[in-house]
């Protein structure tokens, strides 16, 4: 194996030549890099697994059945608009407390409401703003 080419140490501002990622003075940074990479990997993985389970949930027969029941209960109308005396057909069944916040309430009819797109978008935007505060 030919020796690895010399290159500059990756530590900002160092510039010493080395055949590894870091020069001798900065070797210890490799462990830190690994740790950070691992934390990042773990976060991404957890996030995609969560998304997968939400996805599976929205396709589950339990949810589809519950969604139909809520739709019937609310007479196919948006409950928010109805509370303002407007009769608007519902588009989505919404989790009042989002499943990301409380997974255990995902099939609780008390936590479900029929909404039109406009009301649902408004609610989602409000929740997003709250989370980012
Ligand atoms: Zn260095
Ligand atoms: Zn509405």
């Amino acid at each position: 194996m030919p020796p690895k080419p010399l290159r500059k140490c990756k530590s900002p501002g160092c510039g010493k030549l080395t055949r590894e990622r870091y020069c001798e003075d900065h070797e210890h940074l490799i462990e830190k890099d690994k740790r950070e990479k691992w934390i990042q990997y773990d976060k991404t993985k957890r996030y995609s697994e969560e998304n997968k389970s939400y996805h599976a949930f929205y396709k589950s027969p339990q949810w589809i059945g519950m969604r139909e029941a809520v739709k019937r209960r609310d007479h196919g109308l948006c409950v928010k608009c109805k509370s303002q005396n407007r009769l608007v057909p519902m588009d989505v069944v919404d989790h009042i407390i989002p499943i990301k916040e409380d997974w255990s309430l995902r099939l609780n009819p008390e936590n479900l409401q029929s909404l039109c797109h406009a009301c649902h978008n408004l609610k989602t935007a409000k929740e997003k703003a709250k989370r980012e505060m």
Side-chain angles (χ1 to χ4, degrees), residues 79-91:
V79 293
K80 281 255 156 73
C81 289
K82 202 168 167 233
S83 71
Q84 294 160 34
N85 292 320
R86 283 183 291 139
L87 299 183
V88 177
M90 59 83 75
D91 293 303

Side-chain angles (χ1 to χ4, degrees), residues 1-131:
M1 282 254 295
K4 288 187 207 163
L6 281 168
R7 42 182 194 176
K8 276 188 183 169
C9 166
K10 292 273 186 226
S11 176
C14 175
K16 260 195 181 172
L17 291 178
T18 172
R19 297 192 195 279
E20 305 303 328
R21 190 172 165 77
Y22 291 109
C23 72
E24 286 167 0
D25 298 344
H26 293 113
E27 260 173 358
H28 61 280
L29 291 175
I30 289 180
E31 285 308 307
K32 195 172 153 254
D33 279 2
K34 271 192 204 153
R35 237 184 353 257
E36 274 165 15
K37 216 170 165 182
W38 173 248
I39 291 168
Q40 192 49 44
Y41 168 76
D42 198 45
K43 261 192 209 157
T44 318
K45 194 167 147 242
R46 212 173 329 145
Y47 183 74
S48 78
E49 268 167 17
E50 266 179 18
N51 269 358
K52 243 186 259 164
S53 55
Y54 297 146
H55 209 75
F57 168 67
Y58 282 117
K59 280 166 122 181
S60 70
Q62 290 94 325
W63 167 246
I64 293 168
M66 182 51 77
R67 198 180 59 193
E68 288 311 305
V70 171
K71 199 170 154 178
R72 270 198 306 276
R73 181 197 68 189
D74 296 337
H75 311 287
L77 295 170
C78 170
V79 293
K80 281 255 156 73
C81 289
K82 202 168 167 233
S83 71
Q84 294 160 34
N85 292 320
R86 283 183 291 139
L87 299 183
V88 177
M90 59 83 75
D91 293 303
V92 290
V93 171
D94 172 64
H95 285 92
I96 299 171
I97 296 170
I99 54 174
K100 287 185 189 198
E101 274 173 41
D102 196 339
W103 177 249
S104 69
L105 294 175
R106 69 196 179 285
L107 287 169
N108 185 338
E110 301 278 308
N111 189 41
L112 295 167
Q113 60 183 354
S114 303
L115 292 182
C116 69
H117 278 315
C119 290
H120 185 245
N121 289 345
L122 202 69
K123 179 173 178 279
T124 315
K126 268 190 200 157
E127 280 164 5
K128 194 162 173 270
K130 211 171 73 185
R131 268 203 303 277

